[in-house]
Amino acid sequence: MAGLSPYRSTRRRALAGLIGWAAGPMVPAFASPTAPAALAQSALITPKSLGVALLSVTRAGSRLVAVGERGTVLLSDDHGVKWRQAVVPVQVSLTCVAFADERSGWAAGHLGVILHSDDGGETWRRQFDGVAAAESLLAAAQRSGDVTAIANARRLVDEGADKPFFDLEFLDARRGFAAGAYGLMFSTKDGGKTWEPLSDRMANPKGLHLYGVRAIDDRRVVVVGEQGLVLRSDDGGASFSAVPSPYKGSFFGLLRTPGATLVAHGLRGAAYRSTDGGLQWERLESGTSATLSAGVALPHGGFVLISQAGEVLLAHRDAAALRRLPDREQVPVSGVAAAADGSLVMASMRGMRRLAALPVG
């Protein structure tokens, strides 16, 4: 695999040690007694949490929820002006967070951890981890009788919980997807009580990393990842086919606008838009050569992309080019959300940042 960019090495660290994935039946979502100590130790409650590396942020109703290193979860009820720390049962770095509504949310990250909150992010409980994932894959391999798959799955069990998730998508409080390194993909139909491996249903023979997953509706799901990978499902995740990619570099994110337009973004300022559910893609002029590391859809149909260098790029509905907003603090950004008051709130390597009065004309 080619050398990691600074963005990837920061947000995607701890990827080594993964091998090919096999799929299998659903298994109970639980943490094995052999899981690393970080999966059983609560995140430290400290004022320093406001300045740690935050990797993702989203809305839970009008509340903002941000996640980051060492199990840090921050909450804001004033559109990102002030933040407070939530109670979290792990000290694992969390790379992604998603809410189905104002109360039901999930966070995931390193060591294959998936956490769930049913109170708007105030408290969290562990639903799944990489040890449980490996055990489910071993069970699947044993059912298939494939000697190679069994050997690979046993190595996964021996290696332990080292399998990171990079993105989450939930259609509602019961149905969701988690995507991660080396083709790691799971789904749930019961709010995370059980997680079903999907990797053998995906046209990803190289086991490329999966960085973004979005559901267009109940049937159509699109995944993007390493080396320009684009996968699409028309059957709610039962199978994924490869879509001809418009780009050979890696896509690090995927967003969906209220009008169901998809935007994939990644290396060297790459940004592509699809209006037909991911079948065809149109290049967008970003005006930057920096990696586009974060993005968010806006209520009016446009969207924002943010570069690794901290550039904020705005696209209005149907625009073929992105407009760069005036420079502000140049800080590496990993996640972004649109607050309920119209401001832009960013998760950065040095805590949370807020851009008020975002022009949305």
Side-chain angles (χ1 to χ4, degrees):
M1 184 173 62
L4 297 177
S5 70
Y7 169 68
R8 293 176 72 188
S9 63
T10 299
R11 190 179 181 191
R12 320 297 191 192
R13 61 189 182 272
L15 300 183
L18 285 157
I19 60 177
W21 289 87
M26 288 193 295
V27 296
F30 63 92
S32 165
T34 61
L39 287 171
Q41 296 173 342
S42 297
L44 297 178
I45 302 296
T46 169
K48 294 182 179 180
S49 66
L50 299 179
V52 305
L54 278 304
L55 302 177
S56 184
V57 59
T58 194
R59 287 261 300 275
S62 61
R63 171 175 289 174
L64 291 162
V65 182
V67 303
E69 65 177 353
R70 299 181 183 177
T72 299
V73 175
L74 300 181
L75 310 175
S76 175
D77 292 309
D78 57 6
H79 315 300
V81 176
K82 297 178 182 177
W83 296 85
R84 57 190 173 85
Q85 193 174 0
V87 177
V88 179
V90 299
Q91 292 188 13
V92 175
S93 290
L94 302 171
T95 62
C96 49
V97 59
F99 272 74
D101 52 47
E102 65 181 9
R103 297 193 64 81
S104 299
W106 291 260
H110 293 175
L111 303 186
V113 70
I114 299 179
L115 308 177
H116 175 58
S117 173
D118 59 9
D119 57 8
E122 295 284 354
T123 59
W124 299 80
R125 65 181 180 85
R126 187 178 58 233
Q127 283 190 328
F128 201 54
D129 66 31
V131 173
E135 291 171 347
S136 73
L137 295 170
L138 176 57
Q142 290 171 335
R143 281 171 55 105
S144 73
D146 186 318
V147 175
T148 300
I150 292 172
N152 287 342
R154 282 178 174 160
R155 281 199 295 271
L156 286 174
V157 172
D158 291 341
E159 288 168 356
D162 61 352
K163 303 137 188 90
F165 287 111
F166 295 146
D167 200 18
L168 291 163
E169 171 74 341
F170 275 81
L171 289 78
D172 53 42
R174 296 185 62 82
R175 297 172 297 166
F177 299 89
Y182 292 84
L184 175 64
M185 187 84 171
F186 280 76
S187 70
T188 182
K189 296 179 181 178
D190 55 14
K193 294 178 182 178
T194 57
W195 290 90
E196 179 181 7
L198 302 180
S199 298
D200 74 335
R201 308 177 190 181
M202 311 185 78
N204 183 18
K206 295 181 180 179
L208 299 176
H209 306 327
L210 308 178
Y211 290 134
V213 53
R214 290 293 171 267
I216 303 169
D217 50 38
D218 288 348
R219 306 292 294 174
R220 295 179 295 168
V221 183
V222 177
V223 178
V224 299
E226 192 178 18
Q227 298 180 25
L229 181 69
V230 180
L231 303 173
R232 172 182 154 125
S233 174
D234 289 314
D235 51 19
S239 63
F240 286 83
S241 301
V243 174
S245 178
Y247 182 61
K248 299 304 180 184
S250 292
F251 289 122
F252 288 141
L254 181 66
L255 62 88
R256 174 178 49 81
T257 72
T261 292
L262 295 174
V263 179
H265 56 88
L267 282 175
R268 296 183 290 275
Y272 290 83
R273 175 175 59 190
S274 174
T275 58
D276 62 0
L279 294 174
Q280 296 179 317
W281 296 83
E282 169 195 8
R283 181 181 176 88
L284 300 174
E285 295 301 326
S286 69
T288 182
S289 60
T291 291
L292 297 175
S293 53
V296 64
L298 300 176
H300 63 85
F303 58 91
V304 167
L305 298 178
I306 301 182
S307 79
Q308 182 181 335
E311 300 161 294
V312 179
L313 309 175
L314 172 66
H316 296 298
R317 183 194 300 268
D318 301 324
L322 290 87
R323 177 166 63 91
R324 180 173 173 174
L325 300 186
D327 285 343
R328 294 177 181 254
E329 181 184 15
Q330 297 294 298
V331 58
V333 171
S334 298
V336 59
D341 69 346
S343 60
L344 202 65
V345 178
M346 296 166 281
S348 83
M349 296 298 102
R350 296 194 292 273
M352 300 303 297
R353 299 292 187 269
R354 183 174 184 270
L355 175 60
L358 179 68
V360 296

